[in-house]
Amino acid sequence: MSRPYTITTAISYPNGRPHIGHAYEVVATDAIARFQRIMGRDVFFQTGTDEHGLKMAQAARGRDMEPRALADEMSGYFKQMNDILNISYDRFIRTSEPDHHRASQAIWEAMEASGDLYLGRYEGWYSVRDEAFYDEKELVEGEGGQKLSPQATPVEWTVEESWFFRLSAYQQKLLNLYNSQPDFIQPDSRRNEIMRFVEGGLSDLSISRTSFDWGVKVPGSEGHVMYVWVDALTNYLTGCGYPDDAERMARYWSEGGDITHIIGKDIVRFHAVYWPAFLMSAKLPLPRQVFGHGFLLNRGEKMSKSVGNVADPMELADRFGVDQLRYFLLSEVTFGNDGSYSADAIVARSNSDLANSFGNLAQRTLSFIAKNLDGRLPQPAAQDADTELLAAVRQAAGTFEQAMTDLAPSVAIEAWMKAVFACNAYIDAQAPWALRKTDPARMEAVLATLYDAIASLAIMIQPVIPASAAALLDQMGVAGDRRGYDVIGADWYAGLRADGFILSAPKPLFPRLELTEADA
């Protein structure tokens, strides 16, 4: 029995509506979660919204509403995005939920019991936009002498009473962690950045605020709310049953457990420095891996409200199709690097890979069977060419599985497309339409080989385009409990024929997309 698998996105800050970057992260995480389920794992997949902090309080004040009302409205948009994009989350968490407040206060008390918290006075540079404190040495100068964070966001000098976490005491422990577990931070470029940051020395971390009250109350400390990152990071524990459900914690957040955080590269520090330090202090298990993906750029430019190039993922899904958008996001970008998107790139990728290559392969094969054999499944009689094609599909499936295990969906899709191309080359070479008159038995053997290969391709690509793959497998009569990767290469086809399955005329899966003037 394989170990349970826990995977999370970062929780999104809902001071505005979701953009395509939010969609990219959750689609990639969903594909990995779906893949692990198909592999037979007990998966817990969590996403959600991070609703506290000064930024939310300010955004609510700017709209003349209470923070709770803003959180309710905006969190609703994020949940809607997840549902539209067919995200198979097991829990959509909101940090305003009572059980999350309980979990946050429990980890606070655990860190306090370890002697790692003390009350002091915070004086330093704070970025409201990042909800982060920065050392003087990290700042850069902007226009007019404005001091900016490393993320180019404005910082302001803040003075207030604060609780502090003894982060400085965890410098060597963190370096030991990174050295003993090289895969803890991935990709390697992020690991190297964090190693240099920690080696440069760690300052104790201010972890409470008194200048606003929209947040989790610090236990036993009147007027203090938790610094949003203590509260936000603890969401991962909340979903796993902390602090009261020991059985659930043992299942999804255990020592040596398979726990992966998928996050943007701009918040790796919080997840790879602060988070493991908090967990060590609270004497809780650590995640296995923190993976910092790159940014998604609009035609090569960073998205910005002021520039007006922020794309609504729900509009893109409506315009191009949910699976077409999912496929583009996962195939176009090497996971971990920055990538770019545009309407013409989405259309080009969908038409070439899905409509012309895979969709056309399935449509012409299944239509030929429905028309020329009245839907009866053809009789196999394997020759070398048939055996070679099915072996190529099996090989692609092995590469696909390894790549998805390694969090490399674009590599997985590349292997899948290689198998699709092999099938198209095979059907062109074997020409079943010509064999219909000259060698009907050979025609059936070719069609049987293609039927097997196409079902295998649909099974393989399920994590990426789940609705389309399911629709195709439904049409082909492949039962729901026969869609695991162990089916690829197995002799399921004979059983389907023996059951007398009749193929109906297939429905096209991927209509060709067209660009409009609005896409220019």
Side-chain angles (χ1 to χ4, degrees):
M1 181 70 178
S2 59
R3 289 183 300 169
Y5 185 82
T6 298
I7 189 166
T8 77
T9 66
I11 48 175
S12 302
Y13 208 76
N15 62 325
R17 290 180 180 236
H19 57 66
I20 190 67
H22 296 115
Y24 174 57
E25 178 169 300
V26 79
V27 164
T29 310
D30 178 66
I32 296 160
R34 286 178 179 274
F35 165 75
Q36 291 289 349
R37 289 194 196 101
I38 295 169
M39 294 294 287
R41 304 284 293 275
D42 171 13
V43 173
F44 174 61
F45 167 24
Q46 179 164 294
T47 187
T49 45
D50 171 16
E51 299 174 15
H52 294 133
L54 181 57
K55 191 162 50 174
M56 279 292 282
Q58 289 181 344
R61 190 160 56 243
R63 290 185 56 186
D64 194 26
M65 61 196 303
E66 290 298 314
R68 163 73 67 177
L70 177 66
D72 289 346
E73 176 190 334
M74 290 299 171
S75 183
Y77 292 127
F78 280 85
K79 190 170 187 303
Q80 181 186 24
M81 176 193 73
N82 278 271
D83 293 341
I84 286 173
L85 294 176
N86 198 8
I87 305 302
S88 62
Y89 58 84
D90 296 293
R91 178 161 180 182
F92 185 96
I93 193 167
R94 297 183 56 188
T95 56
S96 55
E97 296 170 15
D99 64 339
H100 176 68
H101 284 235
R102 167 82 185 101
S104 300
Q105 289 170 337
I107 196 172
W108 182 285
E109 289 166 342
M111 293 190 295
E112 190 171 32
S114 292
D116 285 330
L117 307 187
Y118 62 92
L119 192 61
R121 177 182 172 85
Y122 179 76
E123 294 189 31
W125 297 103
Y126 185 72
S127 164
V128 175
R129 200 177 304 173
D130 297 344
E131 296 283 10
F133 300 101
Y134 294 102
D135 287 340
E136 183 87 36
K137 64 186 178 184
E138 298 180 82
L139 303 182
V140 296
E141 194 164 303
E143 292 183 13
Q146 166 75 59
K147 289 186 181 292
L148 302 175
S149 76
Q151 319 297 336
T153 58
V155 295
E156 54 192 47
W157 188 256
T158 302
V159 180
E160 60 183 299
E161 183 182 73
S162 175
W163 282 93
F164 285 82
F165 173 74
R166 296 185 197 278
L167 186 63
S168 57
Y170 286 86
Q171 179 174 342
Q172 193 55 50
K173 292 177 183 176
L174 289 167
L175 291 173
N176 293 345
L177 168 65
Y178 308 150
N179 286 317
S180 65
Q181 298 182 38
D183 289 343
F184 180 75
I185 307 168
Q186 285 294 305
D188 285 339
S189 58
R190 314 274 183 261
R191 179 177 182 272
N192 295 336
E193 289 169 14
I194 293 299
M195 291 280 286
R196 301 296 85 79
F197 173 75
V198 175
E199 287 167 351
L202 296 176
S203 303
D204 288 352
L205 185 66
S206 170
I207 58 168
S208 77
R209 305 296 303 276
T210 58
S211 54
F212 60 95
D213 62 1
W214 174 241
V216 179
K217 303 293 185 286
V218 171
S221 194
E222 190 68 31
H224 285 257
V225 295
M226 291 183 196
Y227 165 50
V228 69
W229 279 101
V230 177
D231 153 21
L233 290 162
T234 303
N235 93 86
Y236 306 128
L237 294 178
T238 307
C240 293
Y242 184 75
D244 301 317
D245 192 338
E247 184 180 343
R248 185 170 177 79
M249 279 290 285
R251 189 172 176 182
Y252 294 120
W253 196 281
S254 60
E255 198 68 49
D258 214 342
I259 304 160
T260 300
H261 297 312
I262 304 294
I263 59 165
K265 65 180 183 180
D266 55 332
I267 55 172
V268 170
R269 180 194 304 182
F270 306 101
H271 286 78
V273 180
Y274 302 168
W275 182 224
F278 294 161
L279 290 168
M280 289 176 190
S281 175
K283 298 178 174 53
L284 290 167
L286 302 184
R288 184 182 62 81
Q289 188 170 86
V290 174
F291 190 101
H293 63 76
F295 291 141
L296 200 60
L297 310 174
N298 187 331
R299 297 182 185 273
E301 292 185 353
K302 192 169 181 179
M303 287 179 285
S304 164
K305 290 179 183 175
S306 58
V307 176
N309 65 349
V310 179
D312 182 335
M314 292 179 272
E315 289 179 5
L316 290 173
D318 183 59
R319 167 79 179 82
F320 300 115
V322 171
D323 277 353
Q324 287 86 339
L325 179 61
R326 288 175 61 109
Y327 183 87
F328 171 82
L329 291 175
L330 297 182
S331 61
E332 188 78 6
V333 184
T334 300
F335 202 50
N337 295 348
D338 289 349
S340 191
Y341 78 96
S342 63
D344 47 345
I346 296 170
V347 167
R349 174 73 72 163
S350 178
N351 284 347
S352 67
D353 291 10
L354 297 181
N356 295 352
S357 295
F358 182 53
N360 187 47
L361 170 71
Q363 185 66 19
R364 62 175 173 165
T365 301
L366 301 186
S367 295
F368 194 90
I369 293 170
K371 181 178 179 182
N372 292 283
L373 299 177
D374 295 324
R376 173 182 60 80
L377 296 192
Q379 171 74 47
Q383 294 184 6
D384 287 349
D386 311 340
T387 304
E388 287 168 10
L389 178 68
L390 294 178
V393 172
R394 282 198 304 276
Q395 183 178 6
T399 305
F400 187 99
E401 289 176 31
Q402 187 58 57
M404 289 300 290
T405 300
D406 294 341
L407 309 186
S410 66
V411 176
I413 292 171
E414 192 177 328
W416 178 77
M417 274 306 302
K418 188 176 177 182
V420 172
F421 290 147
C423 289
N424 277 306
Y426 169 88
I427 193 174
D428 289 341
Q430 298 298 323
W433 47 88
L435 293 169
R436 184 167 61 90
K437 295 179 180 177
T438 61
D439 191 344
R442 178 61 191 151
M443 175 199 76
E444 289 208 25
V446 167
L447 293 173
T449 302
L450 285 167
Y451 203 93
D452 189 334
I454 290 165
S456 295
L457 290 169
I459 288 168
M460 208 187 307
I461 201 67
Q462 287 175 101
V464 179
I465 49 171
S468 302
L472 178 55
L473 291 166
D474 286 348
Q475 290 183 42
M476 297 180 73
V478 179
D481 61 354
R482 299 287 292 154
R483 297 181 183 183
Y485 291 132
D486 57 338
V487 171
I488 298 173
D491 189 17
W492 56 273
Y493 181 75
L496 194 62
R497 284 192 79 243
D499 289 342
F501 175 75
I502 298 297
L503 177 70
S504 301
K507 300 182 181 69
L509 290 172
F510 306 106
R512 280 188 58 81
L513 301 177
E514 302 289 342
L515 286 168
T516 66
E517 290 183 11
D519 297 320

